[in-house]
Amino acid sequence: MKKLLPLVPLTLGESSGLAGGLSATFDGAKGCWRVTWISPAGQPVQVEGPVGGHEWSQPAPAADGPNRQGEPRVLSGGAFPEGILVWQQLSMGCAALRSGRRVVGRAPRFPSASLVLCGEKSGVWRDVAFADEPPEVEIGTVALAVAPSHWLAAYLVPSEAGRTVCRVVQLACTPPDAAPAAWRKLPAYPQAPGMAGMMTGLHQGVLIATGGANFPDLPPWENGKKKFYAEIYVLRPGQTTWTAAGLLPAPRAYAAAVSLPDGVLLIGGESSEQIYADTLLLQWDGQQVRIKAGPPLPTGTTCAVAAVLDGSVYVAGGYAAG
């Protein structure tokens, strides 16, 4: 089964209610999306946004109200599966939105998501992505638009503030003839019986792995004691074994890690004694891994996630002491 993509929703503005009018279209001449719905004042409003982008216009009065979207019907090669809310015909197959909410008395269908994007080809339906909303939230009116490179799902949903809003998610379409990802098995890690909470990244083309924790003697359900590690290992391109390349200042696991041009940045993490607020930059110098101190976090954080975007490192989530 292919992994379903979680799509981050973008709120466009408030609407008159869950059952209000809503439409979404692709303007090929301008290369943009156009979404129209009914405002809380009962007037049609409209926004435009770039395909694949995030900079949408502010809601403005629309000359016409939302257009009626397509409704489920029997397709050549098979019928719509249960739960389809709206659809668009493609050159080959069909794009659609379906409800993934649980129904009392019926077996749950994966995924349990409020709104699922799915596609049909040669009579076979596959779920491909979902709007990252709480699984039990009520989705109102929905609309779907299709561009050559993306799908756009628009929908009305209650907000955290108790109002109804119009939101959208975009899905980048993968060409049907795209080559699948090539996976290969790497050499076994040298520390048995295995490791959790390791920190890994790439620098100078070398894979760096360090730290982590395991239960070397007894498993946790037999009252085994967790052990934390400070060893650093590297795997050079083309090599079949890992090489010891140094030690962390102290044992550490569950830190966020990102690969930067200057090295692998470890962010926070924990040991058996503390939760760390510092960051460490691991650099491969051709012989071993050197360690430099990075900027500290505002507070000790473990099990966080991190990403790099436009030259900045973003850290989110995790646990603090206690």
Side-chain angles (χ1 to χ4, degrees):
M1 177 184 293
K2 290 185 177 181
K3 181 179 179 181
L4 297 180
L5 297 175
L7 304 177
V8 179
L10 178 67
T11 300
L12 300 182
E14 294 187 10
S15 69
S16 60
L18 291 177
L22 176 67
S23 66
T25 57
F26 168 61
D27 187 333
K30 298 177 66 175
C32 71
W33 304 115
R34 186 173 294 115
V35 180
T36 307
W37 71 94
I38 305 300
S39 71
Q43 302 298 318
V45 292
Q46 184 174 281
V47 299
E48 292 183 351
V51 174
H54 304 282
E55 299 297 327
W56 288 72
S57 64
Q58 293 297 313
D64 300 315
N67 299 319
R68 184 175 178 83
Q69 298 277 303
E71 294 181 348
R73 63 177 175 82
V74 176
L75 295 174
S76 59
F80 278 94
E82 184 179 7
I84 293 294
L85 303 172
V86 69
W87 65 277
Q88 286 280 337
Q89 191 75 48
L90 305 176
S91 58
M92 294 181 61
C94 178
L97 305 177
R98 75 168 180 86
S99 172
R101 296 186 71 204
R102 297 185 181 95
V103 178
V104 177
R106 297 182 184 176
R109 179 179 174 184
F110 179 83
S112 179
S114 298
L115 189 65
V116 181
L117 285 74
C118 54
E120 176 266 347
K121 186 176 181 180
S122 301
V124 178
W125 284 89
R126 290 187 175 88
D127 294 331
V128 291
F130 63 95
D132 197 4
E133 300 276 2
E136 299 302 328
V137 72
E138 181 181 2
I139 299 290
T141 305
V142 300
L144 176 66
V146 175
S149 61
H150 288 73
W151 296 357
L152 178 84
Y155 55 98
L156 304 180
V157 64
S159 71
E160 294 79 1
R163 302 181 178 90
T164 303
V165 296
C166 177
R167 286 181 180 155
V168 293
V169 292
Q170 295 192 58
L171 172 68
C173 302
T174 303
D177 56 351
W183 290 84
R184 63 187 178 91
K185 188 174 182 179
L186 296 179
Y189 200 64
Q191 289 180 295
M195 199 69 63
M198 291 172 55
M199 293 78 70
T200 63
L202 285 169
H203 185 227
Q204 306 287 2
V206 173
L207 180 60
I208 301 174
T210 184
N214 65 16
F215 293 84
D217 300 318
L218 293 173
W221 53 88
E222 295 181 9
N223 297 320
K225 185 177 180 180
K226 179 184 286 190
K227 181 179 179 180
F228 290 79
Y229 295 83
E231 285 80 358
I232 303 173
Y233 293 92
V234 297
L235 184 64
R236 306 186 197 193
Q239 295 297 305
T240 58
T241 58
W242 292 84
T243 303
L247 294 171
L248 296 174
R252 181 181 309 224
Y254 307 107
V258 289
S259 299
L260 305 175
D262 291 336
V264 178
L265 185 65
L266 309 186
I267 305 164
E270 66 180 88
S271 68
S272 58
E273 300 176 348
Q274 69 179 102
I275 291 180
Y276 292 102
D278 63 346
T279 63
L280 303 174
L281 186 66
L282 277 55
Q283 300 175 310
W284 173 247
D285 68 1
Q287 299 295 326
Q288 62 180 353
V289 172
R290 299 186 180 276
I291 302 174
K292 293 183 179 180
L297 293 167
T299 186
T301 306
T302 185
C303 295
V305 294
V308 183
L309 179 64
D310 296 334
S312 295
V313 177
Y314 296 82
V315 184
Y319 296 93

